[in-house]
Amino acid sequence: MKDADIHRVMHLIARWVPQFDDQPSVGIVAEKTHDPYLVLVSTLISLRTREEVTRRVMWQLFELADTPRRMVQLSEDEIARAIAPARYADQKARTIRTISQQLLHEHHGRVPDDLDALLRFKGVGRKTANLVLTLGFGKPGICVDIHVHRIFNRLGYVRTRTPEQTEATLREKLPRKYWIPVNNWLVTFGRNQCTPTGPRCSNCPVETYCEKVGVTTQR
């Protein structure tokens, strides 16, 4: 696609995704709570876990503890039971409790709104940190997961090998007004329309702009 077409492509995708009623779980938490801590915890739960599972178990945990102080009052086993059957529930429970302790001891119980500070927490990668910044604080950042990485490469807007390279490239060329919403749009779009295999190109709203890089079969 031509770089100049990015506004049209983003507009079409943004109008297309509401039909799926499939907003990412972290986006739902941000919209309902506006709480950076809950955005952080829900993101940690969602890693390598199906959205329908994350949507269910995150609220179960938040009913037990919705602040760092309340979270550390739970044992790792209690947290793990609350978020099961999320994948790696025991490991995630340990991470959530440890980070909650660090927030209390090092940040007065508040989630830092700085990328480097967030990345110092064990278990927090760039995807998680950027989601906290964008959805938790409304600060500029680009969260690149496998869907964002795949779709921008498939479109031909970027030509990168890793999500980290995609993030760096998008920071240079993607208009800033799309930085915060682009992850929510493309995660939903990637799960339902521009799927990893057999994307639904026949009724795709941006098919005429897409170079279909790497597409071997389509519907």
Side-chain angles (χ1 to χ4, degrees):
M1 63 171 281
K2 298 177 182 178
D3 287 358
D5 291 329
I6 189 61
H7 296 287
R8 183 60 178 163
V9 168
M10 291 290 97
H11 173 72
L12 290 170
I13 290 176
R15 290 184 58 186
W16 192 255
V17 295
Q19 68 178 291
F20 299 116
D21 191 25
D22 188 29
Q23 184 182 10
S25 53
V26 179
I28 295 172
V29 170
E31 186 176 285
K32 289 187 175 182
T33 71
H34 307 287
D35 187 329
Y37 177 70
L38 299 186
V39 170
L40 171 59
V41 173
S42 60
T43 303
L44 292 170
I45 295 171
S46 73
L47 299 175
R48 301 180 183 86
T49 296
R50 298 192 310 274
E51 282 291 340
E52 57 269 26
V53 174
T54 302
R55 290 192 192 105
R56 183 172 75 253
V57 303
M58 64 187 186
W59 298 117
Q60 293 176 178
L61 177 61
F62 296 158
E63 287 179 3
L64 297 176
D66 57 1
T67 67
R69 190 168 301 282
R70 292 184 65 189
M71 192 68 71
V72 299
Q73 292 173 355
L74 301 177
S75 68
E76 290 181 13
D77 286 344
E78 288 174 311
I79 297 172
R81 285 197 298 270
I83 64 176
R87 296 189 68 187
Y88 310 112
D90 290 341
Q91 178 181 330
K92 290 176 179 178
R94 187 178 307 113
T95 298
I96 290 168
R97 195 172 189 280
T98 299
I99 290 177
S100 298
Q101 289 176 321
Q102 288 180 275
L103 289 173
L104 288 171
H105 297 156
E106 301 171 15
H107 299 278
H108 308 288
R110 300 177 64 86
V111 176
D113 61 350
D114 175 77
L115 182 64
D116 290 335
L118 288 166
L119 291 173
R120 293 191 190 103
F121 294 116
K122 185 177 180 180
V124 173
R126 294 192 68 86
K127 171 189 171 181
T128 299
N130 275 304
L131 274 177
V132 172
L133 288 179
T134 56
L135 300 184
F137 291 102
K139 296 185 70 171
I142 304 177
C143 176
V144 176
D145 69 350
I146 55 173
H147 296 291
V148 177
H149 173 62
R150 179 182 70 255
I151 293 170
F152 273 123
N153 273 278
R154 185 173 283 173
L155 286 166
Y157 188 64
V158 304
R159 301 184 188 279
T160 55
R161 293 179 178 272
T162 67
E164 291 76 17
Q165 291 174 355
T166 298
E167 180 190 339
T169 302
L170 291 176
R171 283 180 176 273
E172 293 178 357
K173 64 186 301 186
L174 184 68
R176 289 177 72 90
K177 67 179 181 178
Y178 303 123
W179 284 23
I180 292 178
V182 71
N183 183 265
N184 271 5
W185 293 345
L186 294 194
V187 168
T188 301
F189 195 67
R191 285 203 300 257
N192 298 277
Q193 186 79 41
C194 193
T195 52
T197 58
R200 302 176 185 276
C201 299
S202 60
N203 72 333
C204 179
V206 298
E207 192 270 341
T208 57
Y209 299 95
C210 185
E211 296 181 17
K212 301 180 184 178
V213 176
V215 175
T216 56
T217 60
Q218 57 185 274
R219 289 173 283 176

